[in-house]
Amino acid sequence: MAAYTWPATLPTEVDSASYSENYGVLILSTPMDAGVAKRRRRGNKPRVLNVSFIMTNTQITTLETFINDTIKGTARFDFPNPRTGVVAEFRIVPNGDGELFSISYFTPTLYRVSLSLEKMP
């Protein structure tokens, strides 16, 4: 298991309307002199989970501290898989601009926090 754990004060239940999970394999394709390219499997790609949580300002502060100070944005941490409930190692996947998570308005006292998690093989 990972050296770090998702903070107990943060939600683990995701907003089901925004949950998605991507799955794939690593495939190597080799062109041939004639005919179609040959393909072979190289291994599994990490699953990427796109999740959103509804959080208070206090929880967002806890999340910022966890990401910036504890895992430094890169370390693996234990988190229960939202679909299976099994605790596994994950890390945060930055988007193309390097953003680790986004915050959007939900209600006057709650916010939707969205991030992508990569399940380690």
Side-chain angles (χ1 to χ4, degrees):
M1 294 316 249
Y4 304 105
T5 302
W6 182 257
T9 56
L10 295 182
T12 56
E13 188 172 317
V14 300
D15 180 13
S16 61
S18 63
Y19 177 82
S20 68
E21 187 173 338
N22 302 322
Y23 175 78
V25 294
L26 299 171
I27 296 175
L28 182 62
S29 186
T30 306
M32 299 287 105
D33 291 337
V36 297
K38 290 194 177 189
R39 289 187 167 178
R40 65 181 189 267
R41 182 184 175 117
R42 296 287 303 232
N44 291 330
K45 288 177 72 171
R47 289 180 187 232
V48 176
L49 286 61
N50 297 302
V51 297
S52 291
F53 303 96
I54 305 303
M55 294 187 184
T56 64
N57 272 323
T58 303
Q59 289 173 320
I60 292 171
T61 301
T62 301
L63 178 66
E64 290 171 338
T65 301
F66 177 68
I67 290 174
N68 293 326
D69 300 336
T70 305
I71 65 168
K72 308 280 191 230
T74 60
R76 298 174 180 204
F77 57 92
D78 291 334
F79 180 79
N81 184 309
R83 183 175 53 82
T84 65
V86 176
V87 175
E89 284 188 5
F90 288 87
R91 65 180 173 191
I92 297 174
V93 179
N95 71 13
D97 295 332
E99 297 170 354
L100 296 174
F101 65 94
S102 63
I103 303 169
S104 58
Y105 178 84
F106 188 69
T107 69
T109 58
L110 297 172
Y111 298 87
R112 177 175 281 117
V113 177
S114 302
L115 61 149
S116 295
L117 302 175
E118 183 177 56
K119 183 180 179 294
M120 298 291 94

